[in-house]
Amino acid sequence: MTMTGFSSKASKRWRRMISFAIVSAFLVAMIPGVSVSAYDTGATVSASYTFYMDQVGHVNDGIVSYTNDPRNRWTAYESPNATDWVQTDFGTSVSKSSADIYVFDDGGGVRAPSAMAVQYWDGSAWANVASPAMTPTAPAANQKHTITFTAVSSSKFRVVFTHAAGARTGITEIAYGTATGGGTDPGPGTGEPPVTQPGNYPMHQVSVVSPSYGATVNGDVTIKFYAPGMQNVWARAWKQPDAANPGVNGYDSWFARVTPDANGYAEVVFPAAQFPHGPTTVILSAWDSAEGNPNFTHSDNCYVQLFNEGGVVWKRGLPSAPPQAAGMSVLYADDFTGPLSVSRTGAGATYASAKPDAPGGTEFGEAIFANADSTHQPFAILGDNYLRIRAKKAPAGTVDPMGWNRTFTSGLLSSMRTDGTGIAATYGYFEARMLMPAGKGAWPAFWLMSQNSISEGVHSTAEIDTIEAYGHNPQGACQAKHWWEGSPEMHETYCSSSSFAFGDNASTWHIYGTKITPTDTIYYIDNVEVWRHATFEQAKTPMYFMVNLALGGGWPVDLERYNNQIDLYVDYIRVFQ
């Protein structure tokens, strides 16, 4: 991947980073699932007992799965205890007033508990929260149970499970309702008075209180936020065509406007049922001048990523072949309708989760490319049709395997394994449909490299960057060519702030493609050519693809406004030859 708009020092550092091999390599399991509201993905979790196949880290990864395959849960299976607990450690005191507990029950040795209780650490001992629903009996299987209680402040919370007779408890997710943040935070329910919190939300910035970023939503969704100093906020999201807006690509629907109160607090309702099913982005656009007054000093756009589990089905499934693939056949296609087959090196799987140019895989950027079987696993299949790659802040104590002191984790998929086998095409057309994240330091990409650099040990490497995006500027798009250690070595990048005929890379879906011919390499966005150059020699060999959500790319990483969590969504990837 190229880097643009920064010094050669940064470029040299990047080249040095990708040359290192990962310290160790090991196989990973397939763990896709269904996204849920995940409040606690930055916290550390532990348990009194954990069955080795069902690790406790799955209870705060934002994924719910009620199936045996794929597995995404914690269980106390084979525990010798009559009760077991799962603890969430936030590292600092936070205020909580509810716990969403997603029970898993396989009908056999793993069952819903007979009772459960929420506790908090009071500084010297564990105490039960005050709630009439503290110990519901016989929770129903495979569903969410919400326990509400009088708000308490603590750095640690626990759920204690009393196991059903002859079985042990299973949980796929635990999410605590939060009342943290600066300024004030509205209490649960529309119209209830706000709860005063310490600190202040940043002036002239939209800060979303709820729902959480990446949450699963349905129906009418109340978005609660603060925008101190702002007088006018519009909520908008990309919508499918209708009678008034019949364009085939849909349109930017400005569906609600609000003026924040004296504290900067406001709410808007997102009618999710009227918008496309699947991953979607609600943009809150704010100005410090009143509606109709163009003389503003400050403005802001906050991109709120959500998964709409209801809504209108639109542009689902693989489309017909585009014109630039005329005369070609489909070599490979993944619509992400089934379990994701991935391991660190690609052994025993379709994809590798590391850049495959070393026996154990290599890495780059400011986020650790996590393995799918780790507590940081970054991959999920949502709604049986979308791949999600999540970048998030790593819990305190996470060890960077490269020794670079990186503090985020994320994910990469490669169609080539580290042994040089996999999916590659000569003179092919490669495309992916993606919805990217905003956020300072986000660096998502879909790109190609030459197979023979791995399979045959060819010294030089071709790199074709179909799309590189930078989250601080969602309107921009970059394409690049590189011939690393070529004859001669060459590098060229093309960036444009007007590459999109509609929307931007984080507001709506776009198709990114590259066609390599014996004479030209041609880049497309939404099937429209945006750049071309002569095909250099190393790019005339079989090329494989990678898709990743990296961080950095020469830019500072600051994802605080998004609670240190952003997502890249992929609808499909296709290769024609």
Side-chain angles (χ1 to χ4, degrees):
M1 296 169 65
T2 187
M3 301 194 300
T4 58
F6 43 88
S7 68
S8 60
K9 179 180 179 182
S11 178
K12 289 177 182 177
R13 176 175 179 268
W14 180 80
R15 292 190 63 184
R16 183 174 67 252
M17 289 169 69
I18 64 173
S19 67
F20 288 96
I22 192 71
V23 174
S24 62
F26 49 94
L27 299 181
V28 300
M30 298 179 291
I31 315 176
V34 180
S35 174
V36 300
S37 301
Y39 303 96
D40 310 324
T41 51
T44 301
V45 290
S46 57
S48 57
Y49 180 88
T50 294
F51 184 56
Y52 78 99
M53 293 182 64
D54 301 319
Q55 294 298 302
V56 69
H58 293 313
V59 304
N60 74 332
D61 60 5
I63 301 170
V64 164
S65 175
Y66 293 130
T67 65
N68 276 315
D69 183 14
R71 307 168 76 96
N72 192 283
R73 73 264 186 144
W74 163 84
T75 72
Y77 185 65
E78 295 187 352
S79 169
N81 307 315
T83 64
D84 279 293
W85 50 258
V86 172
Q87 177 177 318
T88 302
D89 189 341
F90 293 92
T92 187
S93 182
V94 294
S95 179
K96 300 294 181 182
S97 59
S98 67
D100 291 339
I101 305 167
Y102 296 76
V103 173
F104 173 83
D105 188 325
D106 67 3
V110 177
R111 303 294 297 273
S114 62
M116 51 192 176
V118 178
Q119 299 179 334
Y120 68 97
W121 181 252
D122 68 6
S124 59
W126 290 98
N128 288 334
V129 299
S131 169
M134 183 185 69
T135 54
T137 58
N142 296 340
Q143 64 176 267
K144 180 178 75 172
H145 299 268
T146 299
I147 300 177
T148 59
F149 45 88
T150 302
V152 292
S153 294
S154 178
S155 62
K156 302 175 185 178
F157 288 80
R158 277 184 178 180
V159 183
V160 179
F161 301 99
T162 301
H163 303 312
R168 291 298 179 262
T169 299
I171 301 296
T172 182
E173 193 77 7
I174 299 175
Y176 290 93
T178 181
T180 59
T184 60
D185 180 44
T190 303
E192 294 189 19
V195 178
T196 300
Q197 299 298 325
N200 293 296
Y201 289 100
M203 287 292 292
H204 305 119
Q205 175 180 297
V206 176
S207 298
V208 173
V209 174
S210 68
S212 57
Y213 294 102
T216 294
V217 298
N218 203 343
D220 288 343
V221 182
T222 300
I223 301 176
K224 304 177 181 182
F225 63 92
Y226 283 86
M230 297 302 200
Q231 299 185 44
N232 183 32
V233 181
W234 272 96
R236 54 196 179 97
W238 207 260
K239 195 173 185 181
Q240 69 280 356
D242 55 31
N245 302 274
V248 296
N249 294 314
Y251 66 100
D252 193 11
S253 173
W254 295 52
F255 61 85
R257 195 201 74 80
V258 67
T259 299
D261 66 16
N263 294 320
Y265 177 71
E267 297 180 1
V268 295
V269 175
F270 172 48
Q274 301 175 24
F275 285 77
H277 169 81
T280 190
T281 303
V282 176
I283 304 175
L284 300 177
S285 297
W287 298 267
D288 64 355
S289 62
E291 172 72 358
N293 181 0
N295 299 312
F296 62 87
T297 302
H298 297 94
S299 64
D300 185 46
N301 289 304
C302 180
Y303 287 71
V304 186
Q305 293 183 307
L306 301 169
F307 183 81
N308 185 3
E309 65 179 0
V312 179
V313 175
W314 178 53
K315 290 194 173 183
R316 180 162 183 165
L318 292 168
S320 58
Q324 56 269 28
M328 297 182 177
S329 299
V330 175
L331 175 67
Y332 179 77
D334 194 344
D335 199 19
F336 301 106
T337 56
L340 186 66
S341 176
V342 56
S343 71
R344 173 73 187 183
T345 65
T350 301
Y351 297 108
S353 61
K355 192 167 177 283
D357 49 3
T362 62
E363 299 200 20
F364 59 89
E366 301 301 326
I368 301 164
F369 289 139
N371 298 323
D373 66 345
S374 74
T375 57
H376 314 301
Q377 77 90 11
F379 308 112
I381 303 297
L382 308 184
D384 297 326
N385 199 62
Y386 305 98
L387 168 68
R388 185 192 73 192
I389 303 177
R390 170 164 287 176
K392 62 182 180 181
K393 193 78 169 180
T398 299
V399 176
D400 184 345
M402 305 303 292
W404 299 339
N405 299 316
R406 293 172 293 177
T407 59
F408 283 84
T409 60
S410 191
L412 174 149
L413 292 180
S414 168
S415 71
M416 189 59 47
R417 306 178 186 94
T418 60
D419 65 1
T421 63
I423 302 150
T426 305
Y427 302 137
Y429 173 67
F430 304 77
E431 71 173 6
R433 185 171 185 255
M434 302 192 295
L435 175 62
M436 299 184 180
K440 295 178 181 178
W443 187 21
F446 177 61
W447 50 309
L448 319 175
M449 296 195 82
S450 49
Q451 177 185 20
N452 62 13
S453 300
I454 303 171
S455 60
E456 301 173 21
V458 173
H459 192 57
S460 65
T461 304
E463 178 182 335
I464 300 295
D465 297 327
T466 300
I467 179 66
E468 285 186 89
Y470 301 95
H472 67 279
N473 177 28
Q475 293 76 34
C478 294
Q479 293 78 35
K481 68 173 183 179
H482 301 279
W483 191 359
W484 301 100
E485 301 185 42
S487 301
E489 181 162 314
M490 61 176 68
H491 308 280
E492 185 178 2
T493 299
Y494 173 80
C495 293
S496 174
S497 59
S498 58
S499 296
F500 300 103
F502 57 92
D504 61 42
N505 63 43
S507 66
T508 189
W509 296 89
H510 294 280
I511 301 171
Y512 304 93
T514 298
K515 182 178 182 179
I516 303 176
T517 77
T519 58
D520 294 283
T521 300
I522 311 161
Y523 301 78
Y524 301 85
I525 297 180
D526 298 315
N527 301 319
V528 176
E529 180 180 332
V530 294
W531 188 46
R532 74 164 60 201
H533 58 74
T535 302
F536 55 92
E537 289 305 310
Q538 182 65 347
K540 297 178 180 180
T541 65
M543 303 289 286
Y544 66 93
F545 67 79
M546 286 177 283
V547 60
N548 60 257
L549 176 52
L551 298 180
W555 301 95
V557 179
D558 182 4
L559 301 177
E560 288 288 340
R561 76 170 304 161
Y562 296 115
N563 292 335
N564 289 313
Q565 176 184 289
I566 55 174
D567 296 320
L568 168 66
Y569 296 103
V570 185
D571 185 9
Y572 64 81
I573 297 174
R574 289 194 295 189
V575 180
F576 295 82
Q577 183 174 277

